[in-house]
Amino acid sequence: AIELVVENPSPPEGGPELLIHWKGDHKDDYSIQFRHMEFRGALSAVLQQQHLSESADRVQFINAMEYVGSVDLPQLKLTAFNEAMQYISFSPDHSIPPLDAVLEAAKRCSLIHSIYQIVARAENYEDLAPIAIDNGGFEDLMEGGDNVKSTWCFRARVYGELPEEEEEREEGKDIRYGGRARSMTAESEALNALKPLLIKFKARVNLKEPDCKIYIFDGLKGGKPVLARRLMTGPQISIMNPNTRICVTNTPLCPIAAFSLCNVAQVQNGQTILDPFAGSCATLIAATMIAPDCQTVGIEIAHDGIVNRDDIRQDFSTRNLKEPVALIEGDSTNTETVRDSARNAIGENQQQPQPFDAIITDPPYGIRESKSSKTIPPLSELFIAMGKDKENGKPLLKVGGKLVAFVPVSEEETLEETMPSEELCKEAGLELKAVKEQPLNDKLSRWLVSYTCVD
């Protein structure tokens, strides 16, 4: 496939320029809570690597969908419908990140399906073509354009009420957006209406694997048809699904969770990453997929008979990923020499042990590990160990570094009971920056927590 050269045509009057289509996760969108958090973290990482001063905190998300169907939906499904597609906007009082930075961030987000650039919106299909011709939204596909040797295809998506013949075809299907379909009727009408634009294209049509996908979205919030082009798609996280991995454990972390942790931690190339409760190293696989030149270290208390480290290395090598610098057997919370081994692993080129740029982990859950409810949570134990290391002049995390983890909370517990206390945070030199809940079932939630090392 040809790598398209993406230009930045004038945004359509009266609306945001970029449209984001979020992935569903087939469990009533239970990861919906992490979408914005993951994207902002990814954008912050890209802006830092490009030495840009723009802030990812200024990103705003505006719903592009509004359910108007006749069937009452549960609140969770209603929210999932209305937030399935959102416009990306930025505060007008601050400088806007460059388009290439936004797309680079989106390419590393597990919860992004696609990003589209809005080229035109109008009252009807016929008015879309002249607007697109005037603003140059597809000049790259025309004579003299940068992408005349690429390929393209066109699709129409209709949201809301379907034509009767198409409604019959969709009857009985569990459609994510209620009335959403690739409408052949709308597609035929739109192709005729867009003919003044499409006949100017010098790029070739390819219906199976086009370089550029062009869409009409009809029935979005506001009612006007929108002409858009797809700029990118999210990462292929399925290549690290648990059932594709050589190292098999009882409670593997899913790709979406692993990517979310890494993006909130703002993982970047050249950084050093530690998972002190590594298990089968899902977090480190995700980190290396996101930032291929990062250095990773995993600590896991289980021996090779339970978590085979050779199998883990094969999970990296068979995906052409950079293998961990070290996979250490031991207890990261009780044994100082284990943490020394981790620091030494990334300090070989610096002649002395080094703290890490980020700590990313999914600690063992007390429920699944059959531990007493009185046991100190593993994350609190880690904070205690980090406090001791800091006092001894051997910090585990650099100042400014991120610690991102999951904290499980059962229905009998509160978040405050399961998170490290303010005193432990102070001793470890960590400051809490963000928390976000993800309900797993009726009795258990896990919270994504993010800390920054300030001392």
Side-chain angles (χ1 to χ4, degrees), residues 294-353:
C294 69
Q295 293 187 71
T296 60
V297 175
I299 302 174
E300 171 54 43
I301 194 170
H303 57 74
D304 279 354
I306 297 175
V307 179
N308 189 286
R309 287 155 182 82
D310 288 337
D311 288 349
I312 290 174
R313 292 190 180 280
Q314 286 188 61
D315 278 328
F316 282 81
S317 62
T318 55
R319 291 168 175 79
N320 296 316
L321 299 174
K322 186 177 181 179
E323 293 185 18
V325 176
L327 294 174
I328 301 165
E329 181 180 330
D331 188 340
S332 61
T333 62
N334 287 337
T335 311
E336 183 178 343
T337 55
V338 169
R339 299 190 298 278
D340 283 340
S341 296
R343 283 183 285 257
N344 289 334
I346 60 166
E348 289 183 355
N349 296 330
Q350 287 85 11
Q351 309 301 319
Q352 60 182 356

Side-chain angles (χ1 to χ4, degrees), residues 116-170:
Y116 303 90
Q117 190 162 37
I118 306 302
V119 177
R121 53 167 58 84
E123 295 293 340
N124 52 63
Y125 294 167
E126 287 75 14
D127 290 341
L128 291 171
I131 295 173
I133 292 171
D134 287 345
N135 68 26
F138 295 103
E139 278 187 350
D140 58 303
L141 301 176
M142 300 178 187
E143 185 73 46
D146 291 322
N147 296 316
V148 291
K149 294 184 179 180
S150 64
T151 58
W152 64 277
C153 77
F154 172 78
R155 295 286 182 264
R157 295 287 186 266
V158 176
Y159 303 89
E161 297 298 326
L162 298 174
E164 286 187 13
E165 67 274 13
E166 294 182 4
E167 194 171 86
E168 291 174 3
R169 277 206 307 269
E170 300 298 326

